[in-house]
PDB file of all heavy atoms in Angstrom:
ATOM      1  N   ALA A   1     -22.783  21.213 -45.131  1.00 96.00           N
ATOM      2  CA  ALA A   1     -23.644  21.761 -44.262  1.00 96.00           C
ATOM      3  C   ALA A   1     -23.855  23.206 -44.708  1.00 96.00           C
ATOM      4  O   ALA A   1     -23.067  23.914 -45.148  1.00 96.00           O
ATOM      5  CB  ALA A   1     -23.218  21.720 -42.860  1.00 96.00           C
ATOM      6  N   PHE A   2     -25.231  23.686 -44.574  1.00 95.00           N
ATOM      7  CA  PHE A   2     -25.585  24.985 -44.906  1.00 95.00           C
ATOM      8  C   PHE A   2     -26.760  25.472 -44.284  1.00 95.00           C
ATOM      9  O   PHE A   2     -27.630  24.741 -43.740  1.00 95.00           O
ATOM     10  CB  PHE A   2     -25.705  25.175 -46.466  1.00 95.00           C
ATOM     11  CG  PHE A   2     -27.025  24.654 -47.097  1.00 95.00           C
ATOM     12  CD1 PHE A   2     -28.104  25.374 -47.125  1.00 95.00           C
ATOM     13  CD2 PHE A   2     -26.976  23.226 -47.190  1.00 95.00           C
ATOM     14  CE1 PHE A   2     -29.266  24.844 -47.768  1.00 95.00           C
ATOM     15  CE2 PHE A   2     -28.138  22.721 -47.632  1.00 95.00           C
ATOM     16  CZ  PHE A   2     -29.380  23.486 -48.014  1.00 95.00           C
ATOM     17  N   THR A   3     -27.034  26.871 -44.245  1.00 94.00           N
ATOM     18  CA  THR A   3     -28.264  27.451 -43.769  1.00 94.00           C
ATOM     19  C   THR A   3     -28.489  28.651 -44.648  1.00 94.00           C
ATOM     20  O   THR A   3     -27.535  29.338 -45.030  1.00 94.00           O
ATOM     21  CB  THR A   3     -28.264  27.868 -42.270  1.00 94.00           C
ATOM     22  OG1 THR A   3     -29.620  28.337 -41.967  1.00 94.00           O
ATOM     23  CG2 THR A   3     -27.240  28.808 -41.915  1.00 94.00           C
ATOM     24  N   TRP A   4     -29.701  28.978 -45.056  1.00 92.00           N
ATOM     25  CA  TRP A   4     -30.148  30.153 -45.541  1.00 92.00           C
ATOM     26  C   TRP A   4     -30.766  31.212 -44.568  1.00 92.00           C
ATOM     27  O   TRP A   4     -31.227  32.245 -44.950  1.00 92.00           O
ATOM     28  CB  TRP A   4     -31.135  29.961 -46.760  1.00 92.00           C
ATOM     29  CG  TRP A   4     -30.671  28.990 -47.737  1.00 92.00           C
ATOM     30  CD1 TRP A   4     -31.186  27.850 -48.111  1.00 92.00           C
ATOM     31  CD2 TRP A   4     -29.497  29.208 -48.581  1.00 92.00           C
ATOM     32  NE1 TRP A   4     -30.486  27.203 -49.078  1.00 92.00           N
ATOM     33  CE2 TRP A   4     -29.347  28.067 -49.403  1.00 92.00           C
ATOM     34  CE3 TRP A   4     -28.598  30.197 -48.761  1.00 92.00           C
ATOM     35  CZ2 TRP A   4     -28.493  27.978 -50.300  1.00 92.00           C
ATOM     36  CZ3 TRP A   4     -27.494  30.113 -49.719  1.00 92.00           C
ATOM     37  CH2 TRP A   4     -27.526  29.001 -50.465  1.00 92.00           C
ATOM     38  N   ARG A   5     -30.719  30.874 -43.306  1.00 91.00           N
ATOM     39  CA  ARG A   5     -31.318  31.720 -42.336  1.00 91.00           C
ATOM     40  C   ARG A   5     -30.447  32.293 -41.285  1.00 91.00           C
ATOM     41  O   ARG A   5     -30.841  32.726 -40.163  1.00 91.00           O
ATOM     42  CB  ARG A   5     -32.409  30.944 -41.464  1.00 91.00           C
ATOM     43  CG  ARG A   5     -33.531  30.545 -42.464  1.00 91.00           C
ATOM     44  CD  ARG A   5     -34.542  29.483 -41.739  1.00 91.00           C
ATOM     45  NE  ARG A   5     -35.582  29.256 -42.654  1.00 91.00           N
ATOM     46  CZ  ARG A   5     -36.880  29.528 -42.431  1.00 91.00           C
ATOM     47  NH1 ARG A   5     -37.090  30.045 -41.176  1.00 91.00           N
ATOM     48  NH2 ARG A   5     -37.776  29.285 -43.238  1.00 91.00           N
ATOM     49  N   ALA A   6     -29.175  32.312 -41.601  1.00 90.00           N
ATOM     50  CA  ALA A   6     -28.225  32.888 -40.611  1.00 90.00           C
ATOM     51  C   ALA A   6     -28.468  34.371 -40.372  1.00 90.00           C
ATOM     52  O   ALA A   6     -28.995  35.066 -41.337  1.00 90.00           O
ATOM     53  CB  ALA A   6     -26.699  32.631 -41.131  1.00 90.00           C
ATOM     54  N   GLN A   7     -28.141  34.843 -39.323  1.00 90.00           N
ATOM     55  CA  GLN A   7     -28.456  36.299 -39.122  1.00 90.00           C
ATOM     56  C   GLN A   7     -27.043  36.909 -38.651  1.00 90.00           C
ATOM     57  O   GLN A   7     -26.182  36.324 -38.163  1.00 90.00           O
ATOM     58  CB  GLN A   7     -29.354  36.495 -37.923  1.00 90.00           C
ATOM     59  CG  GLN A   7     -30.817  35.996 -38.295  1.00 90.00           C
ATOM     60  CD  GLN A   7     -31.775  36.401 -37.289  1.00 90.00           C
ATOM     61  OE1 GLN A   7     -31.607  36.845 -36.219  1.00 90.00           O
ATOM     62  NE2 GLN A   7     -32.984  36.213 -37.649  1.00 90.00           N
ATOM     63  N   THR A   8     -26.888  38.212 -39.073  1.00 93.00           N
ATOM     64  CA  THR A   8     -25.803  39.009 -38.778  1.00 93.00           C
ATOM     65  C   THR A   8     -25.889  39.782 -37.475  1.00 93.00           C
ATOM     66  O   THR A   8     -26.842  39.704 -36.740  1.00 93.00           O
ATOM     67  CB  THR A   8     -25.554  40.005 -39.991  1.00 93.00           C
ATOM     68  OG1 THR A   8     -24.184  40.452 -39.828  1.00 93.00           O
ATOM     69  CG2 THR A   8     -26.448  41.104 -40.043  1.00 93.00           C
ATOM     70  N   VAL A   9     -24.822  40.571 -37.073  1.00 94.00           N
ATOM     71  CA  VAL A   9     -24.854  41.377 -35.888  1.00 94.00           C
ATOM     72  C   VAL A   9     -25.479  42.634 -36.095  1.00 94.00           C
ATOM     73  O   VAL A   9     -25.645  43.077 -37.272  1.00 94.00           O
ATOM     74  CB  VAL A   9     -23.447  41.335 -35.372  1.00 94.00           C
ATOM     75  CG1 VAL A   9     -22.814  40.069 -34.936  1.00 94.00           C
ATOM     76  CG2 VAL A   9     -22.492  42.167 -36.406  1.00 94.00           C
ATOM     77  N   VAL A  10     -25.699  43.414 -35.045  1.00 93.00           N
ATOM     78  CA  VAL A  10     -26.034  44.790 -35.133  1.00 93.00           C
ATOM     79  C   VAL A  10     -24.983  45.571 -34.552  1.00 93.00           C
ATOM     80  O   VAL A  10     -24.435  45.322 -33.421  1.00 93.00           O
ATOM     81  CB  VAL A  10     -27.340  45.043 -34.282  1.00 93.00           C
ATOM     82  CG1 VAL A  10     -27.764  46.574 -34.274  1.00 93.00           C
ATOM     83  CG2 VAL A  10     -28.541  44.229 -34.835  1.00 93.00           C
ATOM     84  N   PRO A  11     -24.421  46.575 -35.298  1.00 92.00           N
ATOM     85  CA  PRO A  11     -24.815  47.020 -36.558  1.00 92.00           C
ATOM     86  C   PRO A  11     -24.315  46.080 -37.644  1.00 92.00           C
ATOM     87  O   PRO A  11     -23.298  45.507 -37.622  1.00 92.00           O
ATOM     88  CB  PRO A  11     -24.030  48.383 -36.748  1.00 92.00           C
ATOM     89  CG  PRO A  11     -22.834  48.183 -35.882  1.00 92.00           C
ATOM     90  CD  PRO A  11     -23.283  47.385 -34.683  1.00 92.00           C
ATOM     91  N   SER A  12     -25.181  45.918 -38.667  1.00 92.00           N
ATOM     92  CA  SER A  12     -25.107  44.925 -39.717  1.00 92.00           C
ATOM     93  C   SER A  12     -24.205  45.493 -40.910  1.00 92.00           C
ATOM     94  O   SER A  12     -24.610  45.359 -41.964  1.00 92.00           O
ATOM     95  CB  SER A  12     -26.393  44.322 -40.192  1.00 92.00           C
ATOM     96  OG  SER A  12     -27.083  45.399 -40.885  1.00 92.00           O
ATOM     97  N   ASN A  13     -23.135  46.119 -40.556  1.00 95.00           N
ATOM     98  CA  ASN A  13     -22.213  46.695 -41.456  1.00 95.00           C
ATOM     99  C   ASN A  13     -20.977  45.740 -41.658  1.00 95.00           C
ATOM    100  O   ASN A  13     -20.728  44.887 -40.868  1.00 95.00           O
ATOM    101  CB  ASN A  13     -21.741  48.047 -41.114  1.00 95.00           C
ATOM    102  CG  ASN A  13     -22.900  49.060 -40.953  1.00 95.00           C
ATOM    103  OD1 ASN A  13     -23.800  49.044 -41.902  1.00 95.00           O
ATOM    104  ND2 ASN A  13     -22.879  49.876 -40.078  1.00 95.00           N
ATOM    105  N   THR A  14     -20.201  45.970 -42.662  1.00 96.00           N
ATOM    106  CA  THR A  14     -19.162  45.138 -43.242  1.00 96.00           C
ATOM    107  C   THR A  14     -18.101  44.899 -42.058  1.00 96.00           C
ATOM    108  O   THR A  14     -17.791  43.762 -41.706  1.00 96.00           O
ATOM    109  CB  THR A  14     -18.490  45.605 -44.448  1.00 96.00           C
ATOM    110  OG1 THR A  14     -19.458  45.574 -45.429  1.00 96.00           O
ATOM    111  CG2 THR A  14     -17.261  44.837 -44.942  1.00 96.00           C
ATOM    112  N   LEU A  15     -17.604  46.013 -41.501  1.00 97.00           N
ATOM    113  CA  LEU A  15     -16.414  45.841 -40.496  1.00 97.00           C
ATOM    114  C   LEU A  15     -16.945  45.262 -39.196  1.00 97.00           C
ATOM    115  O   LEU A  15     -16.227  44.303 -38.753  1.00 97.00           O
ATOM    116  CB  LEU A  15     -15.721  47.193 -40.326  1.00 97.00           C
ATOM    117  CG  LEU A  15     -14.370  47.160 -39.560  1.00 97.00           C
ATOM    118  CD1 LEU A  15     -13.498  46.196 -40.167  1.00 97.00           C
ATOM    119  CD2 LEU A  15     -13.858  48.491 -39.396  1.00 97.00           C
ATOM    120  N   PRO A  16     -18.048  45.719 -38.667  1.00 97.00           N
ATOM    121  CA  PRO A  16     -18.420  45.057 -37.419  1.00 97.00           C
ATOM    122  C   PRO A  16     -18.850  43.602 -37.602  1.00 97.00           C
ATOM    123  O   PRO A  16     -18.548  42.766 -36.731  1.00 97.00           O
ATOM    124  CB  PRO A  16     -19.596  45.780 -36.980  1.00 97.00           C
ATOM    125  CG  PRO A  16     -19.574  47.124 -37.584  1.00 97.00           C
ATOM    126  CD  PRO A  16     -18.804  46.860 -38.928  1.00 97.00           C
ATOM    127  N   SER A  17     -19.528  43.166 -38.710  1.00 97.00           N
ATOM    128  CA  SER A  17     -19.885  41.900 -39.022  1.00 97.00           C
ATOM    129  C   SER A  17     -18.640  41.020 -39.194  1.00 97.00           C
ATOM    130  O   SER A  17     -18.640  39.960 -38.657  1.00 97.00           O
ATOM    131  CB  SER A  17     -20.696  41.892 -40.336  1.00 97.00           C
ATOM    132  OG  SER A  17     -21.906  42.606 -40.175  1.00 97.00           O
ATOM    133  N   HIS A  18     -17.603  41.443 -39.922  1.00 98.00           N
ATOM    134  CA  HIS A  18     -16.516  40.587 -40.034  1.00 98.00           C
ATOM    135  C   HIS A  18     -15.687  40.490 -38.801  1.00 98.00           C
ATOM    136  O   HIS A  18     -15.065  39.437 -38.456  1.00 98.00           O
ATOM    137  CB  HIS A  18     -15.573  41.122 -41.188  1.00 98.00           C
ATOM    138  CG  HIS A  18     -16.106  40.727 -42.579  1.00 98.00           C
ATOM    139  ND1 HIS A  18     -16.984  41.645 -43.269  1.00 98.00           N
ATOM    140  CD2 HIS A  18     -15.963  39.705 -43.355  1.00 98.00           C
ATOM    141  CE1 HIS A  18     -17.323  41.015 -44.338  1.00 98.00           C
ATOM    142  NE2 HIS A  18     -16.643  39.828 -44.424  1.00 98.00           N
ATOM    143  N   ALA A  19     -15.617  41.628 -37.998  1.00 98.00           N
ATOM    144  CA  ALA A  19     -14.973  41.277 -36.721  1.00 98.00           C
ATOM    145  C   ALA A  19     -15.596  40.397 -35.887  1.00 98.00           C
ATOM    146  O   ALA A  19     -14.973  39.618 -35.177  1.00 98.00           O
ATOM    147  CB  ALA A  19     -14.808  42.792 -36.046  1.00 98.00           C
ATOM    148  N   SER A  20     -16.905  40.372 -35.834  1.00 97.00           N
ATOM    149  CA  SER A  20     -17.673  39.256 -35.112  1.00 97.00           C
ATOM    150  C   SER A  20     -17.384  37.942 -35.757  1.00 97.00           C
ATOM    151  O   SER A  20     -17.101  36.971 -35.052  1.00 97.00           O
ATOM    152  CB  SER A  20     -19.130  39.543 -35.109  1.00 97.00           C
ATOM    153  OG  SER A  20     -19.506  40.724 -34.408  1.00 97.00           O
ATOM    154  N   MET A  21     -17.392  37.815 -37.086  1.00 97.00           N
ATOM    155  CA  MET A  21     -17.144  36.609 -37.668  1.00 97.00           C
ATOM    156  C   MET A  21     -15.815  36.009 -37.277  1.00 97.00           C
ATOM    157  O   MET A  21     -15.523  34.813 -37.146  1.00 97.00           O
ATOM    158  CB  MET A  21     -17.281  36.811 -39.231  1.00 97.00           C
ATOM    159  CG  MET A  21     -17.009  35.716 -40.179  1.00 97.00           C
ATOM    160  SD  MET A  21     -16.986  36.316 -41.917  1.00 97.00           S
ATOM    161  CE  MET A  21     -18.443  37.291 -42.057  1.00 97.00           C
ATOM    162  N   LEU A  22     -14.714  36.891 -37.191  1.00 98.00           N
ATOM    163  CA  LEU A  22     -13.424  36.450 -37.010  1.00 98.00           C
ATOM    164  C   LEU A  22     -12.941  36.510 -35.587  1.00 98.00           C
ATOM    165  O   LEU A  22     -11.901  36.027 -35.327  1.00 98.00           O
ATOM    166  CB  LEU A  22     -12.462  37.320 -37.910  1.00 98.00           C
ATOM    167  CG  LEU A  22     -12.757  37.156 -39.442  1.00 98.00           C
ATOM    168  CD1 LEU A  22     -12.055  38.102 -40.161  1.00 98.00           C
ATOM    169  CD2 LEU A  22     -12.426  35.707 -39.950  1.00 98.00           C
ATOM    170  N   THR A  23     -13.704  36.966 -34.710  1.00 98.00           N
ATOM    171  CA  THR A  23     -13.467  36.860 -33.237  1.00 98.00           C
ATOM    172  C   THR A  23     -14.382  35.913 -32.576  1.00 98.00           C
ATOM    173  O   THR A  23     -14.058  35.272 -31.520  1.00 98.00           O
ATOM    174  CB  THR A  23     -13.475  38.145 -32.490  1.00 98.00           C
ATOM    175  OG1 THR A  23     -14.867  38.668 -32.479  1.00 98.00           O
ATOM    176  CG2 THR A  23     -12.563  39.131 -33.129  1.00 98.00           C
ATOM    177  N   GLY A  24     -15.624  35.791 -33.118  1.00 97.00           N
ATOM    178  CA  GLY A  24     -16.638  35.062 -32.374  1.00 97.00           C
ATOM    179  C   GLY A  24     -17.410  35.768 -31.414  1.00 97.00           C
ATOM    180  O   GLY A  24     -18.235  35.215 -30.586  1.00 97.00           O
ATOM    181  N   TYR A  25     -17.286  37.224 -31.377  1.00 97.00           N
ATOM    182  CA  TYR A  25     -17.939  37.866 -30.298  1.00 97.00           C
ATOM    183  C   TYR A  25     -18.729  38.937 -31.019  1.00 97.00           C
ATOM    184  O   TYR A  25     -18.539  39.465 -32.102  1.00 97.00           O
ATOM    185  CB  TYR A  25     -16.883  38.665 -29.481  1.00 97.00           C
ATOM    186  CG  TYR A  25     -16.201  37.675 -28.559  1.00 97.00           C
ATOM    187  CD1 TYR A  25     -14.887  37.233 -28.837  1.00 97.00           C
ATOM    188  CD2 TYR A  25     -16.791  37.016 -27.405  1.00 97.00           C
ATOM    189  CE1 TYR A  25     -14.201  36.445 -28.050  1.00 97.00           C
ATOM    190  CE2 TYR A  25     -16.158  36.120 -26.613  1.00 97.00           C
ATOM    191  CZ  TYR A  25     -14.840  35.874 -27.063  1.00 97.00           C
ATOM    192  OH  TYR A  25     -14.176  34.901 -26.143  1.00 97.00           O
ATOM    193  N   GLN A  26     -19.778  39.481 -30.290  1.00 97.00           N
ATOM    194  CA  GLN A  26     -20.615  40.567 -30.698  1.00 97.00           C
ATOM    195  C   GLN A  26     -19.754  41.930 -30.658  1.00 97.00           C
ATOM    196  O   GLN A  26     -18.823  41.979 -29.969  1.00 97.00           O
ATOM    197  CB  GLN A  26     -21.816  40.789 -29.746  1.00 97.00           C
ATOM    198  CG  GLN A  26     -22.686  39.575 -29.816  1.00 97.00           C
ATOM    199  CD  GLN A  26     -23.559  39.565 -31.059  1.00 97.00           C
ATOM    200  OE1 GLN A  26     -24.014  40.569 -31.639  1.00 97.00           O
ATOM    201  NE2 GLN A  26     -23.940  38.339 -31.563  1.00 97.00           N
ATOM    202  N   PRO A  27     -20.255  42.888 -31.435  1.00 96.00           N
ATOM    203  CA  PRO A  27     -19.557  44.206 -31.482  1.00 96.00           C
ATOM    204  C   PRO A  27     -19.370  44.845 -30.132  1.00 96.00           C
ATOM    205  O   PRO A  27     -18.241  45.457 -29.922  1.00 96.00           O
ATOM    206  CB  PRO A  27     -20.415  45.024 -32.381  1.00 96.00           C
ATOM    207  CG  PRO A  27     -21.070  44.114 -33.276  1.00 96.00           C
ATOM    208  CD  PRO A  27     -21.386  42.836 -32.452  1.00 96.00           C
ATOM    209  N   ALA A  28     -20.261  44.680 -29.288  1.00 95.00           N
ATOM    210  CA  ALA A  28     -19.994  45.364 -27.900  1.00 95.00           C
ATOM    211  C   ALA A  28     -18.909  44.652 -27.207  1.00 95.00           C
ATOM    212  O   ALA A  28     -18.179  45.520 -26.378  1.00 95.00           O
ATOM    213  CB  ALA A  28     -21.286  45.022 -27.006  1.00 95.00           C
ATOM    214  N   ARG A  29     -18.528  43.490 -27.467  1.00 95.00           N
ATOM    215  CA  ARG A  29     -17.312  42.950 -26.876  1.00 95.00           C
ATOM    216  C   ARG A  29     -16.022  43.083 -27.660  1.00 95.00           C
ATOM    217  O   ARG A  29     -14.988  43.374 -27.141  1.00 95.00           O
ATOM    218  CB  ARG A  29     -17.484  41.525 -26.567  1.00 95.00           C
ATOM    219  CG  ARG A  29     -16.300  40.764 -25.969  1.00 95.00           C
ATOM    220  CD  ARG A  29     -16.723  39.643 -25.180  1.00 95.00           C
ATOM    221  NE  ARG A  29     -15.453  38.955 -24.662  1.00 95.00           N
ATOM    222  CZ  ARG A  29     -15.533  37.891 -24.044  1.00 95.00           C
ATOM    223  NH1 ARG A  29     -16.611  37.205 -23.865  1.00 95.00           N
ATOM    224  NH2 ARG A  29     -14.414  37.313 -23.583  1.00 95.00           N
ATOM    225  N   HIS A  30     -16.031  42.980 -29.040  1.00 96.00           N
ATOM    226  CA  HIS A  30     -14.769  43.183 -29.774  1.00 96.00           C
ATOM    227  C   HIS A  30     -14.375  44.630 -30.090  1.00 96.00           C
ATOM    228  O   HIS A  30     -13.292  44.934 -30.343  1.00 96.00           O
ATOM    229  CB  HIS A  30     -14.765  42.370 -31.090  1.00 96.00           C
ATOM    230  CG  HIS A  30     -15.856  42.678 -32.051  1.00 96.00           C
ATOM    231  ND1 HIS A  30     -16.038  43.953 -32.659  1.00 96.00           N
ATOM    232  CD2 HIS A  30     -16.779  41.872 -32.599  1.00 96.00           C
ATOM    233  CE1 HIS A  30     -16.998  43.841 -33.491  1.00 96.00           C
ATOM    234  NE2 HIS A  30     -17.540  42.675 -33.521  1.00 96.00           N
ATOM    235  N   GLY A  31     -15.373  45.563 -29.895  1.00 94.00           N
ATOM    236  CA  GLY A  31     -15.157  46.912 -29.845  1.00 94.00           C
ATOM    237  C   GLY A  31     -15.268  47.601 -31.246  1.00 94.00           C
ATOM    238  O   GLY A  31     -15.133  48.868 -31.270  1.00 94.00           O
ATOM    239  N   ILE A  32     -15.495  46.912 -32.349  1.00 96.00           N
ATOM    240  CA  ILE A  32     -15.669  47.508 -33.612  1.00 96.00           C
ATOM    241  C   ILE A  32     -17.147  47.671 -33.910  1.00 96.00           C
ATOM    242  O   ILE A  32     -17.882  46.864 -34.250  1.00 96.00           O
ATOM    243  CB  ILE A  32     -14.913  46.671 -34.741  1.00 96.00           C
ATOM    244  CG1 ILE A  32     -13.560  46.350 -34.347  1.00 96.00           C
ATOM    245  CG2 ILE A  32     -15.107  47.389 -36.028  1.00 96.00           C
ATOM    246  CD1 ILE A  32     -12.549  47.475 -34.245  1.00 96.00           C
ATOM    247  N   THR A  33     -17.547  49.065 -33.841  1.00 95.00           N
ATOM    248  CA  THR A  33     -18.908  49.401 -34.054  1.00 95.00           C
ATOM    249  C   THR A  33     -19.046  50.323 -35.321  1.00 95.00           C
ATOM    250  O   THR A  33     -20.075  50.725 -35.710  1.00 95.00           O
ATOM    251  CB  THR A  33     -19.600  49.955 -32.849  1.00 95.00           C
ATOM    252  OG1 THR A  33     -18.805  51.107 -32.518  1.00 95.00           O
ATOM    253  CG2 THR A  33     -19.718  48.952 -31.709  1.00 95.00           C
ATOM    254  N   TRP A  34     -17.924  50.730 -35.921  1.00 96.00           N
ATOM    255  CA  TRP A  34     -17.847  51.635 -37.018  1.00 96.00           C
ATOM    256  C   TRP A  34     -17.579  50.820 -38.286  1.00 96.00           C
ATOM    257  O   TRP A  34     -17.181  49.702 -38.126  1.00 96.00           O
ATOM    258  CB  TRP A  34     -16.778  52.750 -36.816  1.00 96.00           C
ATOM    259  CG  TRP A  34     -15.454  52.158 -36.487  1.00 96.00           C
ATOM    260  CD1 TRP A  34     -14.472  51.929 -37.419  1.00 96.00           C
ATOM    261  CD2 TRP A  34     -14.897  51.883 -35.169  1.00 96.00           C
ATOM    262  NE1 TRP A  34     -13.386  51.506 -36.722  1.00 96.00           N
ATOM    263  CE2 TRP A  34     -13.512  51.360 -35.416  1.00 96.00           C
ATOM    264  CE3 TRP A  34     -15.451  51.879 -33.925  1.00 96.00           C
ATOM    265  CZ2 TRP A  34     -12.849  50.948 -34.409  1.00 96.00           C
ATOM    266  CZ3 TRP A  34     -14.680  51.376 -32.911  1.00 96.00           C
ATOM    267  CH2 TRP A  34     -13.290  51.013 -33.077  1.00 96.00           C
ATOM    268  N   ASP A  35     -17.658  51.549 -39.475  1.00 96.00           N
ATOM    269  CA  ASP A  35     -17.591  50.753 -40.734  1.00 96.00           C
ATOM    270  C   ASP A  35     -16.595  51.330 -41.590  1.00 96.00           C
ATOM    271  O   ASP A  35     -16.723  51.224 -42.899  1.00 96.00           O
ATOM    272  CB  ASP A  35     -18.931  50.693 -41.339  1.00 96.00           C
ATOM    273  CG  ASP A  35     -19.047  49.656 -42.451  1.00 96.00           C
ATOM    274  OD1 ASP A  35     -18.355  48.606 -42.235  1.00 96.00           O
ATOM    275  OD2 ASP A  35     -19.672  49.768 -43.473  1.00 96.00           O
ATOM    276  N   ASP A  36     -15.564  51.954 -41.120  1.00 97.00           N
ATOM    277  CA  ASP A  36     -14.529  52.506 -41.987  1.00 97.00           C
ATOM    278  C   ASP A  36     -13.180  52.143 -41.333  1.00 97.00           C
ATOM    279  O   ASP A  36     -13.190  51.781 -40.125  1.00 97.00           O
ATOM    280  CB  ASP A  36     -14.666  54.056 -42.182  1.00 97.00           C
ATOM    281  CG  ASP A  36     -15.745  54.425 -42.980  1.00 97.00           C
ATOM    282  OD1 ASP A  36     -15.788  53.833 -44.204  1.00 97.00           O
ATOM    283  OD2 ASP A  36     -16.709  55.222 -42.459  1.00 97.00           O
ATOM    284  N   TYR A  37     -12.118  52.254 -42.005  1.00 97.00           N
ATOM    285  CA  TYR A  37     -10.761  52.162 -41.479  1.00 97.00           C
ATOM    286  C   TYR A  37     -10.443  53.317 -40.724  1.00 97.00           C
ATOM    287  O   TYR A  37     -10.089  54.430 -41.213  1.00 97.00           O
ATOM    288  CB  TYR A  37      -9.648  51.893 -42.501  1.00 97.00           C
ATOM    289  CG  TYR A  37      -8.232  51.717 -41.953  1.00 97.00           C
ATOM    290  CD1 TYR A  37      -8.086  50.722 -40.974  1.00 97.00           C
ATOM    291  CD2 TYR A  37      -7.286  52.461 -42.363  1.00 97.00           C
ATOM    292  CE1 TYR A  37      -6.759  50.688 -40.448  1.00 97.00           C
ATOM    293  CE2 TYR A  37      -5.968  52.351 -41.923  1.00 97.00           C
ATOM    294  CZ  TYR A  37      -5.729  51.410 -40.993  1.00 97.00           C
ATOM    295  OH  TYR A  37      -4.544  51.197 -40.348  1.00 97.00           O
ATOM    296  N   LEU A  38     -10.669  53.289 -39.318  1.00 97.00           N
ATOM    297  CA  LEU A  38     -10.377  54.401 -38.422  1.00 97.00           C
ATOM    298  C   LEU A  38      -9.428  53.970 -37.294  1.00 97.00           C
ATOM    299  O   LEU A  38      -9.969  53.676 -36.050  1.00 97.00           O
ATOM    300  CB  LEU A  38     -11.800  54.848 -37.824  1.00 97.00           C
ATOM    301  CG  LEU A  38     -12.742  55.318 -38.825  1.00 97.00           C
ATOM    302  CD1 LEU A  38     -14.098  55.636 -38.195  1.00 97.00           C
ATOM    303  CD2 LEU A  38     -12.172  56.555 -39.599  1.00 97.00           C
ATOM    304  N   PRO A  39      -8.215  53.806 -37.595  1.00 95.00           N
ATOM    305  CA  PRO A  39      -7.312  53.329 -36.493  1.00 95.00           C
ATOM    306  C   PRO A  39      -7.265  54.184 -35.220  1.00 95.00           C
ATOM    307  O   PRO A  39      -6.997  53.639 -34.076  1.00 95.00           O
ATOM    308  CB  PRO A  39      -5.887  53.258 -37.222  1.00 95.00           C
ATOM    309  CG  PRO A  39      -6.057  54.113 -38.372  1.00 95.00           C
ATOM    310  CD  PRO A  39      -7.506  54.158 -38.784  1.00 95.00           C
ATOM    311  N   ALA A  40      -7.519  55.377 -35.304  1.00 96.00           N
ATOM    312  CA  ALA A  40      -7.593  56.338 -34.086  1.00 96.00           C
ATOM    313  C   ALA A  40      -8.662  55.933 -33.193  1.00 96.00           C
ATOM    314  O   ALA A  40      -8.663  56.190 -31.945  1.00 96.00           O
ATOM    315  CB  ALA A  40      -7.770  57.728 -34.480  1.00 96.00           C
TER     316      ALA A  40
END
């Protein structure tokens, strides 16, 4: 199965997108809206 029309989240940066992919939630819910390793 495949699609070429999948859409990413906003912001469409690597870290928020992967957090959504691996939690199943939008950035507003999983909390990762930045795109660098910023543990603080």
Side-chain angles (χ1 to χ4, degrees):
F2 72 96
T3 182
W4 300 119
R5 295 177 177 237
Q7 294 188 350
T8 191
V9 298
V10 175
S12 63
N13 296 320
T14 297
L15 189 57
S17 297
H18 282 90
S20 290
M21 173 186 317
L22 296 170
T23 65
Y25 293 105
Q26 293 288 325
R29 180 152 174 187
H30 61 62
I32 304 297
T33 56
W34 54 92
D35 196 35
D36 289 303
Y37 179 53
L38 301 171

